[in-house]
Amino acid sequence: MMYAGVLIMVIAYLFYRSLYAVLILSPLMISVYRLEQGRKKRVRRQCLEQQFKDALQAMTAALQAGYSVENAIRETLGDMIQMYGQDGLITREFSRIVQGVRNNRTPEELMEEFALRSGSEDITEFGELFGIAKRTGGNLTEILKSCGDTICDKLDTKKEIETVMAAKRLEGRLMDVIPCAIILYIDVTSPGFFKCLYHNPPGILVMTICLAVYLTAVLLSEKIMSVEV
């Protein structure tokens, strides 16, 4: 929220040179905060998906080695601790699953709950398939291996696309900053150049129109760059 507040103050200074503008623009803090939270949630989900791919491969290997589902989950947790540490996203999730198994809850129920918490379509798909395979008594190892291969291929493809998109998002961020940077540069190098645009009705109208166009461009850029892959 502090980030949103600072951003609003910068915009109020550049476009209006008025403290009253901070109060008028303060509702925009909610939108900025939501955009930032959405970005963080997207980054967290992508990180969890990549870690889940490693967990899925470890669990499939454990099942192929003859471990029961419960023991395979415990072995996977040990592998995830070695790879990502105690604070890794996937480590915390598998720790919760292992704890649930110790409390006599079924692995399929716990896995489905993890899938729902993740917010990932791929992990949700795995959770549903895992539950069906476990309850129907099918060849869990083969089913999970086939499902795991498919999901891993999808996640690898998504990672490649995200790598390309990351560069475009950086370009978008730079383009968002450039208009404000230009205003600030001219204001510093040519004091008084924008004086006619502040503290008078025509100037306020012009700057309001410019701000509206600028914010529309920023929101459009964010929407394009946040398209799920």
Side-chain angles (χ1 to χ4, degrees):
M1 206 63 170
M2 184 180 295
Y3 166 78
V6 171
L7 184 61
I8 293 302
M9 286 190 286
V10 170
I11 290 175
Y13 172 78
L14 291 177
F15 285 86
Y16 297 105
R17 295 289 199 280
S18 172
L19 292 176
Y20 293 110
V22 176
L23 299 176
I24 295 172
L25 296 174
S26 58
L28 290 176
M29 291 175 61
I30 299 174
S31 298
V32 175
Y33 178 75
R34 287 177 178 173
L35 285 173
E36 186 63 17
Q37 290 299 110
R39 185 190 67 81
K40 289 181 179 179
K41 187 181 295 185
R42 184 176 65 249
V43 170
R44 181 188 182 280
R45 185 175 65 250
Q46 291 169 355
C47 182
L48 180 61
E49 285 177 342
Q50 292 303 317
Q51 293 182 12
F52 173 73
K53 182 184 73 171
D54 295 327
L56 185 55
Q57 291 172 338
M59 188 164 66
T60 302
L63 288 171
Q64 289 176 329
Y67 286 93
S68 66
V69 173
E70 291 79 3
N71 288 331
I73 292 174
R74 292 190 185 97
E75 288 295 316
T76 301
L77 173 59
D79 292 340
M80 294 304 100
I81 291 174
Q82 290 182 359
M83 293 179 67
Y84 298 108
Q86 294 284 355
D87 294 329
L89 293 175
I90 197 66
T91 304
R92 292 200 296 266
E93 293 294 346
F94 267 78
S95 295
R96 185 178 294 186
I97 294 172
V98 169
Q99 186 60 44
V101 171
R102 288 174 182 164
N103 293 332
N104 297 319
R105 298 186 64 193
T106 61
E108 58 269 28
E109 180 185 1
L110 294 164
M111 197 65 74
E112 287 172 354
E113 288 179 0
F114 160 51
L116 290 175
R117 285 195 304 271
S118 71
S120 167
E121 181 181 345
D122 295 317
I123 299 178
T124 301
E125 179 184 332
F126 170 80
E128 293 173 352
L129 186 60
F130 181 88
I132 293 171
K134 189 73 168 59
R135 283 189 284 265
T136 57
N139 189 333
L140 188 62
T141 302
E142 288 301 319
I143 291 173
L144 292 187
K145 185 176 185 305
S146 176
C147 174
D149 290 342
T150 301
I151 291 176
C152 287
D153 289 341
K154 288 176 64 178
L155 291 177
D156 286 339
T157 302
K158 288 174 69 173
K159 185 175 181 180
E160 292 176 4
I161 296 173
E162 281 296 332
T163 301
V164 176
M165 290 292 289
K168 298 301 179 182
R169 288 194 182 100
L170 179 59
E171 292 177 9
R173 297 279 190 277
L174 292 174
M175 292 300 294
D176 292 345
V177 172
I178 284 176
C180 292
I182 290 174
I183 293 175
L184 186 60
Y185 174 77
I186 294 176
D187 189 50
V188 171
T189 56
S190 302
F193 186 84
F194 291 119
K195 188 176 181 180
C196 61
L197 296 174
Y198 300 120
H199 308 299
N200 63 82
I204 292 173
L205 177 61
V206 170
M207 294 305 279
T208 300
I209 294 173
C210 292
L211 178 59
V213 172
Y214 172 67
L215 292 178
T216 300
V218 170
L219 291 174
L220 183 60
S221 172
E222 286 293 325
K223 187 173 183 179
I224 292 173
M225 292 302 171
S226 64
V227 172
E228 297 292 336
V229 295

PDB file of all heavy atoms in Angstrom, residues 34-63:
ATOM      1  N   ARG A  34      -4.431  -3.346  -6.056  1.00  0.00           N
ATOM      2  CA  ARG A  34      -4.972  -4.584  -6.638  1.00  0.00           C
ATOM      3  C   ARG A  34      -4.104  -5.083  -7.791  1.00  0.00           C
ATOM      4  O   ARG A  34      -3.884  -6.288  -7.926  1.00  0.00           O
ATOM      5  CB  ARG A  34      -6.406  -4.353  -7.114  1.00  0.00           C
ATOM      6  CG  ARG A  34      -7.418  -4.238  -5.982  1.00  0.00           C
ATOM      7  CD  ARG A  34      -8.811  -3.948  -6.509  1.00  0.00           C
ATOM      8  NE  ARG A  34      -9.789  -3.896  -5.431  1.00  0.00           N
ATOM      9  CZ  ARG A  34     -11.056  -3.534  -5.608  1.00  0.00           C
ATOM     10  NH1 ARG A  34     -11.488  -3.175  -6.818  1.00  0.00           N
ATOM     11  NH2 ARG A  34     -11.885  -3.522  -4.581  1.00  0.00           N
ATOM     12  N   LEU A  35      -3.626  -4.157  -8.600  1.00  0.00           N
ATOM     13  CA  LEU A  35      -2.738  -4.554  -9.699  1.00  0.00           C
ATOM     14  C   LEU A  35      -1.461  -5.191  -9.173  1.00  0.00           C
ATOM     15  O   LEU A  35      -0.990  -6.207  -9.686  1.00  0.00           O
ATOM     16  CB  LEU A  35      -2.400  -3.336 -10.566  1.00  0.00           C
ATOM     17  CG  LEU A  35      -3.482  -2.825 -11.522  1.00  0.00           C
ATOM     18  CD1 LEU A  35      -3.034  -1.522 -12.174  1.00  0.00           C
ATOM     19  CD2 LEU A  35      -3.790  -3.870 -12.595  1.00  0.00           C
ATOM     20  N   GLU A  36      -0.902  -4.591  -8.122  1.00  0.00           N
ATOM     21  CA  GLU A  36       0.338  -5.109  -7.538  1.00  0.00           C
ATOM     22  C   GLU A  36       0.103  -6.475  -6.885  1.00  0.00           C
ATOM     23  O   GLU A  36       0.930  -7.388  -7.015  1.00  0.00           O
ATOM     24  CB  GLU A  36       0.881  -4.120  -6.510  1.00  0.00           C
ATOM     25  CG  GLU A  36       2.239  -4.490  -5.937  1.00  0.00           C
ATOM     26  CD  GLU A  36       3.351  -4.513  -6.965  1.00  0.00           C
ATOM     27  OE1 GLU A  36       3.167  -3.940  -8.062  1.00  0.00           O
ATOM     28  OE2 GLU A  36       4.410  -5.099  -6.661  1.00  0.00           O
ATOM     29  N   GLN A  37      -1.024  -6.622  -6.202  1.00  0.00           N
ATOM     30  CA  GLN A  37      -1.342  -7.908  -5.581  1.00  0.00           C
ATOM     31  C   GLN A  37      -1.577  -8.985  -6.635  1.00  0.00           C
ATOM     32  O   GLN A  37      -1.174 -10.142  -6.466  1.00  0.00           O
ATOM     33  CB  GLN A  37      -2.583  -7.781  -4.698  1.00  0.00           C
ATOM     34  CG  GLN A  37      -2.349  -6.966  -3.427  1.00  0.00           C
ATOM     35  CD  GLN A  37      -1.285  -7.582  -2.532  1.00  0.00           C
ATOM     36  OE1 GLN A  37      -0.187  -7.039  -2.391  1.00  0.00           O
ATOM     37  NE2 GLN A  37      -1.585  -8.698  -1.935  1.00  0.00           N
ATOM     38  N   GLY A  38      -2.225  -8.607  -7.734  1.00  0.00           N
ATOM     39  CA  GLY A  38      -2.440  -9.554  -8.829  1.00  0.00           C
ATOM     40  C   GLY A  38      -1.130  -9.997  -9.446  1.00  0.00           C
ATOM     41  O   GLY A  38      -0.953 -11.177  -9.788  1.00  0.00           O
ATOM     42  N   ARG A  39      -0.194  -9.052  -9.586  1.00  0.00           N
ATOM     43  CA  ARG A  39       1.117  -9.400 -10.135  1.00  0.00           C
ATOM     44  C   ARG A  39       1.854 -10.358  -9.207  1.00  0.00           C
ATOM     45  O   ARG A  39       2.436 -11.355  -9.653  1.00  0.00           O
ATOM     46  CB  ARG A  39       1.945  -8.125 -10.337  1.00  0.00           C
ATOM     47  CG  ARG A  39       3.279  -8.361 -11.018  1.00  0.00           C
ATOM     48  CD  ARG A  39       4.151  -7.121 -10.959  1.00  0.00           C
ATOM     49  NE  ARG A  39       4.554  -6.821  -9.602  1.00  0.00           N
ATOM     50  CZ  ARG A  39       5.562  -7.423  -8.972  1.00  0.00           C
ATOM     51  NH1 ARG A  39       6.261  -8.376  -9.589  1.00  0.00           N
ATOM     52  NH2 ARG A  39       5.873  -7.098  -7.730  1.00  0.00           N
ATOM     53  N   LYS A  40       1.814 -10.080  -7.890  1.00  0.00           N
ATOM     54  CA  LYS A  40       2.489 -10.949  -6.928  1.00  0.00           C
ATOM     55  C   LYS A  40       1.872 -12.347  -6.918  1.00  0.00           C
ATOM     56  O   LYS A  40       2.574 -13.355  -6.825  1.00  0.00           O
ATOM     57  CB  LYS A  40       2.415 -10.337  -5.528  1.00  0.00           C
ATOM     58  CG  LYS A  40       3.284  -9.104  -5.347  1.00  0.00           C
ATOM     59  CD  LYS A  40       3.172  -8.560  -3.938  1.00  0.00           C
ATOM     60  CE  LYS A  40       4.063  -7.334  -3.745  1.00  0.00           C
ATOM     61  NZ  LYS A  40       3.935  -6.775  -2.374  1.00  0.00           N
ATOM     62  N   LYS A  41       0.551 -12.404  -7.028  1.00  0.00           N
ATOM     63  CA  LYS A  41      -0.136 -13.698  -7.037  1.00  0.00           C
ATOM     64  C   LYS A  41       0.247 -14.501  -8.282  1.00  0.00           C
ATOM     65  O   LYS A  41       0.441 -15.714  -8.215  1.00  0.00           O
ATOM     66  CB  LYS A  41      -1.646 -13.477  -6.997  1.00  0.00           C
ATOM     67  CG  LYS A  41      -2.457 -14.751  -6.832  1.00  0.00           C
ATOM     68  CD  LYS A  41      -3.948 -14.465  -6.811  1.00  0.00           C
ATOM     69  CE  LYS A  41      -4.338 -13.652  -5.596  1.00  0.00           C
ATOM     70  NZ  LYS A  41      -5.817 -13.477  -5.517  1.00  0.00           N
ATOM     71  N   ARG A  42       0.364 -13.792  -9.413  1.00  0.00           N
ATOM     72  CA  ARG A  42       0.742 -14.480 -10.650  1.00  0.00           C
ATOM     73  C   ARG A  42       2.167 -15.023 -10.561  1.00  0.00           C
ATOM     74  O   ARG A  42       2.428 -16.166 -10.959  1.00  0.00           O
ATOM     75  CB  ARG A  42       0.622 -13.508 -11.829  1.00  0.00           C
ATOM     76  CG  ARG A  42       0.908 -14.165 -13.189  1.00  0.00           C
ATOM     77  CD  ARG A  42       0.687 -13.203 -14.335  1.00  0.00           C
ATOM     78  NE  ARG A  42       1.617 -12.091 -14.309  1.00  0.00           N
ATOM     79  CZ  ARG A  42       1.284 -10.834 -14.050  1.00  0.00           C
ATOM     80  NH1 ARG A  42       0.037 -10.525 -13.769  1.00  0.00           N
ATOM     81  NH2 ARG A  42       2.183  -9.879 -14.057  1.00  0.00           N
ATOM     82  N   VAL A  43       3.074 -14.221 -10.019  1.00  0.00           N
ATOM     83  CA  VAL A  43       4.467 -14.666  -9.872  1.00  0.00           C
ATOM     84  C   VAL A  43       4.552 -15.857  -8.919  1.00  0.00           C
ATOM     85  O   VAL A  43       5.276 -16.824  -9.177  1.00  0.00           O
ATOM     86  CB  VAL A  43       5.348 -13.507  -9.368  1.00  0.00           C
ATOM     87  CG1 VAL A  43       6.737 -14.003  -8.986  1.00  0.00           C
ATOM     88  CG2 VAL A  43       5.462 -12.416 -10.433  1.00  0.00           C
ATOM     89  N   ARG A  44       3.794 -15.801  -7.816  1.00  0.00           N
ATOM     90  CA  ARG A  44       3.802 -16.902  -6.846  1.00  0.00           C
ATOM     91  C   ARG A  44       3.275 -18.193  -7.488  1.00  0.00           C
ATOM     92  O   ARG A  44       3.831 -19.260  -7.280  1.00  0.00           O
ATOM     93  CB  ARG A  44       2.943 -16.538  -5.630  1.00  0.00           C
ATOM     94  CG  ARG A  44       2.915 -17.630  -4.566  1.00  0.00           C
ATOM     95  CD  ARG A  44       1.903 -17.334  -3.473  1.00  0.00           C
ATOM     96  NE  ARG A  44       1.918 -18.366  -2.449  1.00  0.00           N
ATOM     97  CZ  ARG A  44       1.315 -19.532  -2.570  1.00  0.00           C
ATOM     98  NH1 ARG A  44       0.644 -19.826  -3.677  1.00  0.00           N
ATOM     99  NH2 ARG A  44       1.371 -20.424  -1.585  1.00  0.00           N
ATOM    100  N   ARG A  45       2.197 -18.066  -8.263  1.00  0.00           N
ATOM    101  CA  ARG A  45       1.626 -19.253  -8.906  1.00  0.00           C
ATOM    102  C   ARG A  45       2.596 -19.869  -9.901  1.00  0.00           C
ATOM    103  O   ARG A  45       2.751 -21.096  -9.972  1.00  0.00           O
ATOM    104  CB  ARG A  45       0.313 -18.897  -9.597  1.00  0.00           C
ATOM    105  CG  ARG A  45      -0.403 -20.109 -10.180  1.00  0.00           C
ATOM    106  CD  ARG A  45      -1.755 -19.760 -10.758  1.00  0.00           C
ATOM    107  NE  ARG A  45      -1.646 -18.878 -11.905  1.00  0.00           N
ATOM    108  CZ  ARG A  45      -2.020 -17.620 -11.921  1.00  0.00           C
ATOM    109  NH1 ARG A  45      -2.500 -17.050 -10.838  1.00  0.00           N
ATOM    110  NH2 ARG A  45      -1.899 -16.878 -13.016  1.00  0.00           N
ATOM    111  N   GLN A  46       3.273 -19.030 -10.658  1.00  0.00           N
ATOM    112  CA  GLN A  46       4.244 -19.541 -11.629  1.00  0.00           C
ATOM    113  C   GLN A  46       5.395 -20.246 -10.921  1.00  0.00           C
ATOM    114  O   GLN A  46       5.851 -21.300 -11.378  1.00  0.00           O
ATOM    115  CB  GLN A  46       4.764 -18.388 -12.489  1.00  0.00           C
ATOM    116  CG  GLN A  46       3.722 -17.811 -13.435  1.00  0.00           C
ATOM    117  CD  GLN A  46       4.179 -16.513 -14.075  1.00  0.00           C
ATOM    118  OE1 GLN A  46       5.248 -15.986 -13.753  1.00  0.00           O
ATOM    119  NE2 GLN A  46       3.375 -15.978 -14.976  1.00  0.00           N
ATOM    120  N   CYS A  47       5.859 -19.663  -9.814  1.00  0.00           N
ATOM    121  CA  CYS A  47       6.936 -20.276  -9.037  1.00  0.00           C
ATOM    122  C   CYS A  47       6.483 -21.612  -8.464  1.00  0.00           C
ATOM    123  O   CYS A  47       7.226 -22.610  -8.511  1.00  0.00           O
ATOM    124  CB  CYS A  47       7.365 -19.329  -7.917  1.00  0.00           C
ATOM    125  SG  CYS A  47       8.727 -19.944  -6.901  1.00  0.00           S
ATOM    126  N   LEU A  48       5.267 -21.660  -7.937  1.00  0.00           N
ATOM    127  CA  LEU A  48       4.731 -22.901  -7.373  1.00  0.00           C
ATOM    128  C   LEU A  48       4.594 -23.976  -8.439  1.00  0.00           C
ATOM    129  O   LEU A  48       4.882 -25.155  -8.194  1.00  0.00           O
ATOM    130  CB  LEU A  48       3.379 -22.625  -6.709  1.00  0.00           C
ATOM    131  CG  LEU A  48       2.684 -23.824  -6.062  1.00  0.00           C
ATOM    132  CD1 LEU A  48       3.535 -24.410  -4.948  1.00  0.00           C
ATOM    133  CD2 LEU A  48       1.308 -23.418  -5.521  1.00  0.00           C
ATOM    134  N   GLU A  49       4.168 -23.592  -9.622  1.00  0.00           N
ATOM    135  CA  GLU A  49       4.010 -24.573 -10.704  1.00  0.00           C
ATOM    136  C   GLU A  49       5.340 -25.204 -11.083  1.00  0.00           C
ATOM    137  O   GLU A  49       5.423 -26.425 -11.297  1.00  0.00           O
ATOM    138  CB  GLU A  49       3.379 -23.894 -11.924  1.00  0.00           C
ATOM    139  CG  GLU A  49       1.898 -23.606 -11.781  1.00  0.00           C
ATOM    140  CD  GLU A  49       1.320 -22.877 -12.981  1.00  0.00           C
ATOM    141  OE1 GLU A  49       2.111 -22.298 -13.764  1.00  0.00           O
ATOM    142  OE2 GLU A  49       0.097 -22.859 -13.142  1.00  0.00           O
ATOM    143  N   GLN A  50       6.389 -24.385 -11.165  1.00  0.00           N
ATOM    144  CA  GLN A  50       7.698 -24.934 -11.523  1.00  0.00           C
ATOM    145  C   GLN A  50       8.238 -25.843 -10.425  1.00  0.00           C
ATOM    146  O   GLN A  50       8.844 -26.883 -10.704  1.00  0.00           O
ATOM    147  CB  GLN A  50       8.681 -23.791 -11.807  1.00  0.00           C
ATOM    148  CG  GLN A  50       8.356 -23.002 -13.068  1.00  0.00           C
ATOM    149  CD  GLN A  50       8.295 -23.869 -14.315  1.00  0.00           C
ATOM    150  OE1 GLN A  50       9.146 -24.745 -14.523  1.00  0.00           O
ATOM    151  NE2 GLN A  50       7.303 -23.639 -15.160  1.00  0.00           N
ATOM    152  N   GLN A  51       8.008 -25.486  -9.168  1.00  0.00           N
ATOM    153  CA  GLN A  51       8.436 -26.340  -8.069  1.00  0.00           C
ATOM    154  C   GLN A  51       7.596 -27.618  -8.018  1.00  0.00           C
ATOM    155  O   GLN A  51       8.109 -28.694  -7.687  1.00  0.00           O
ATOM    156  CB  GLN A  51       8.337 -25.579  -6.739  1.00  0.00           C
ATOM    157  CG  GLN A  51       9.321 -24.433  -6.620  1.00  0.00           C
ATOM    158  CD  GLN A  51       9.250 -23.727  -5.281  1.00  0.00           C
ATOM    159  OE1 GLN A  51       8.618 -24.210  -4.332  1.00  0.00           O
ATOM    160  NE2 GLN A  51       9.903 -22.573  -5.175  1.00  0.00           N
ATOM    161  N   PHE A  52       6.325 -27.499  -8.338  1.00  0.00           N
ATOM    162  CA  PHE A  52       5.444 -28.665  -8.351  1.00  0.00           C
ATOM    163  C   PHE A  52       5.888 -29.677  -9.404  1.00  0.00           C
ATOM    164  O   PHE A  52       5.768 -30.891  -9.195  1.00  0.00           O
ATOM    165  CB  PHE A  52       4.006 -28.223  -8.627  1.00  0.00           C
ATOM    166  CG  PHE A  52       3.045 -29.366  -8.829  1.00  0.00           C
ATOM    167  CD1 PHE A  52       2.637 -30.136  -7.755  1.00  0.00           C
ATOM    168  CD2 PHE A  52       2.571 -29.667 -10.088  1.00  0.00           C
ATOM    169  CE1 PHE A  52       1.753 -31.195  -7.931  1.00  0.00           C
ATOM    170  CE2 PHE A  52       1.687 -30.719 -10.283  1.00  0.00           C
ATOM    171  CZ  PHE A  52       1.283 -31.486  -9.195  1.00  0.00           C
ATOM    172  N   LYS A  53       6.416 -29.178 -10.520  1.00  0.00           N
ATOM    173  CA  LYS A  53       6.907 -30.090 -11.562  1.00  0.00           C
ATOM    174  C   LYS A  53       7.998 -30.996 -11.001  1.00  0.00           C
ATOM    175  O   LYS A  53       7.994 -32.212 -11.232  1.00  0.00           O
ATOM    176  CB  LYS A  53       7.447 -29.285 -12.750  1.00  0.00           C
ATOM    177  CG  LYS A  53       7.923 -30.151 -13.902  1.00  0.00           C
ATOM    178  CD  LYS A  53       8.547 -29.312 -15.008  1.00  0.00           C
ATOM    179  CE  LYS A  53       9.906 -28.788 -14.574  1.00  0.00           C
ATOM    180  NZ  LYS A  53      10.645 -28.146 -15.686  1.00  0.00           N
ATOM    181  N   ASP A  54       8.915 -30.424 -10.225  1.00  0.00           N
ATOM    182  CA  ASP A  54       9.977 -31.222  -9.609  1.00  0.00           C
ATOM    183  C   ASP A  54       9.406 -32.189  -8.570  1.00  0.00           C
ATOM    184  O   ASP A  54       9.851 -33.337  -8.459  1.00  0.00           O
ATOM    185  CB  ASP A  54      11.011 -30.301  -8.953  1.00  0.00           C
ATOM    186  CG  ASP A  54      11.746 -29.442  -9.967  1.00  0.00           C
ATOM    187  OD1 ASP A  54      11.962 -29.918 -11.093  1.00  0.00           O
ATOM    188  OD2 ASP A  54      12.104 -28.298  -9.632  1.00  0.00           O
ATOM    189  N   ALA A  55       8.408 -31.728  -7.810  1.00  0.00           N
ATOM    190  CA  ALA A  55       7.788 -32.594  -6.807  1.00  0.00           C
ATOM    191  C   ALA A  55       7.068 -33.768  -7.468  1.00  0.00           C
ATOM    192  O   ALA A  55       7.128 -34.910  -6.985  1.00  0.00           O
ATOM    193  CB  ALA A  55       6.805 -31.784  -5.958  1.00  0.00           C
ATOM    194  N   LEU A  56       6.414 -33.497  -8.569  1.00  0.00           N
ATOM    195  CA  LEU A  56       5.687 -34.546  -9.285  1.00  0.00           C
ATOM    196  C   LEU A  56       6.642 -35.604  -9.821  1.00  0.00           C
ATOM    197  O   LEU A  56       6.371 -36.813  -9.739  1.00  0.00           O
ATOM    198  CB  LEU A  56       4.886 -33.913 -10.422  1.00  0.00           C
ATOM    199  CG  LEU A  56       3.951 -34.824 -11.226  1.00  0.00           C
ATOM    200  CD1 LEU A  56       2.980 -35.549 -10.308  1.00  0.00           C
ATOM    201  CD2 LEU A  56       3.192 -34.006 -12.260  1.00  0.00           C
ATOM    202  N   GLN A  57       7.770 -35.160 -10.356  1.00  0.00           N
ATOM    203  CA  GLN A  57       8.765 -36.105 -10.854  1.00  0.00           C
ATOM    204  C   GLN A  57       9.349 -36.942  -9.715  1.00  0.00           C
ATOM    205  O   GLN A  57       9.545 -38.154  -9.863  1.00  0.00           O
ATOM    206  CB  GLN A  57       9.867 -35.346 -11.593  1.00  0.00           C
ATOM    207  CG  GLN A  57       9.407 -34.720 -12.899  1.00  0.00           C
ATOM    208  CD  GLN A  57      10.455 -33.817 -13.521  1.00  0.00           C
ATOM    209  OE1 GLN A  57      11.366 -33.323 -12.838  1.00  0.00           O
ATOM    210  NE2 GLN A  57      10.340 -33.572 -14.821  1.00  0.00           N
ATOM    211  N   ALA A  58       9.589 -36.305  -8.565  1.00  0.00           N
ATOM    212  CA  ALA A  58      10.136 -37.030  -7.409  1.00  0.00           C
ATOM    213  C   ALA A  58       9.130 -38.042  -6.878  1.00  0.00           C
ATOM    214  O   ALA A  58       9.499 -39.181  -6.525  1.00  0.00           O
ATOM    215  CB  ALA A  58      10.510 -36.034  -6.308  1.00  0.00           C
ATOM    216  N   MET A  59       7.849 -37.667  -6.826  1.00  0.00           N
ATOM    217  CA  MET A  59       6.832 -38.577  -6.310  1.00  0.00           C
ATOM    218  C   MET A  59       6.619 -39.758  -7.255  1.00  0.00           C
ATOM    219  O   MET A  59       6.452 -40.897  -6.811  1.00  0.00           O
ATOM    220  CB  MET A  59       5.512 -37.833  -6.093  1.00  0.00           C
ATOM    221  CG  MET A  59       4.465 -38.666  -5.366  1.00  0.00           C
ATOM    222  SD  MET A  59       3.091 -37.689  -4.712  1.00  0.00           S
ATOM    223  CE  MET A  59       2.332 -37.125  -6.229  1.00  0.00           C
ATOM    224  N   THR A  60       6.637 -39.503  -8.553  1.00  0.00           N
ATOM    225  CA  THR A  60       6.495 -40.586  -9.525  1.00  0.00           C
ATOM    226  C   THR A  60       7.659 -41.567  -9.416  1.00  0.00           C
ATOM    227  O   THR A  60       7.463 -42.794  -9.462  1.00  0.00           O
ATOM    228  CB  THR A  60       6.429 -40.014 -10.956  1.00  0.00           C
ATOM    229  OG1 THR A  60       5.328 -39.096 -11.047  1.00  0.00           O
ATOM    230  CG2 THR A  60       6.244 -41.116 -11.983  1.00  0.00           C
ATOM    231  N   ALA A  61       8.872 -41.033  -9.246  1.00  0.00           N
ATOM    232  CA  ALA A  61      10.050 -41.899  -9.094  1.00  0.00           C
ATOM    233  C   ALA A  61       9.932 -42.757  -7.836  1.00  0.00           C
ATOM    234  O   ALA A  61      10.289 -43.940  -7.837  1.00  0.00           O
ATOM    235  CB  ALA A  61      11.316 -41.053  -9.049  1.00  0.00           C
ATOM    236  N   ALA A  62       9.424 -42.168  -6.744  1.00  0.00           N
ATOM    237  CA  ALA A  62       9.266 -42.917  -5.500  1.00  0.00           C
ATOM    238  C   ALA A  62       8.228 -44.025  -5.653  1.00  0.00           C
ATOM    239  O   ALA A  62       8.412 -45.145  -5.157  1.00  0.00           O
ATOM    240  CB  ALA A  62       8.873 -41.970  -4.368  1.00  0.00           C
ATOM    241  N   LEU A  63       7.135 -43.738  -6.351  1.00  0.00           N
ATOM    242  CA  LEU A  63       6.109 -44.759  -6.580  1.00  0.00           C
ATOM    243  C   LEU A  63       6.644 -45.888  -7.453  1.00  0.00           C
ATOM    244  O   LEU A  63       6.361 -47.066  -7.213  1.00  0.00           O
ATOM    245  CB  LEU A  63       4.875 -44.115  -7.238  1.00  0.00           C
ATOM    246  CG  LEU A  63       4.028 -43.209  -6.335  1.00  0.00           C
ATOM    247  CD1 LEU A  63       2.989 -42.465  -7.155  1.00  0.00           C
ATOM    248  CD2 LEU A  63       3.335 -44.021  -5.237  1.00  0.00           C
TER     249      LEU A  63
END
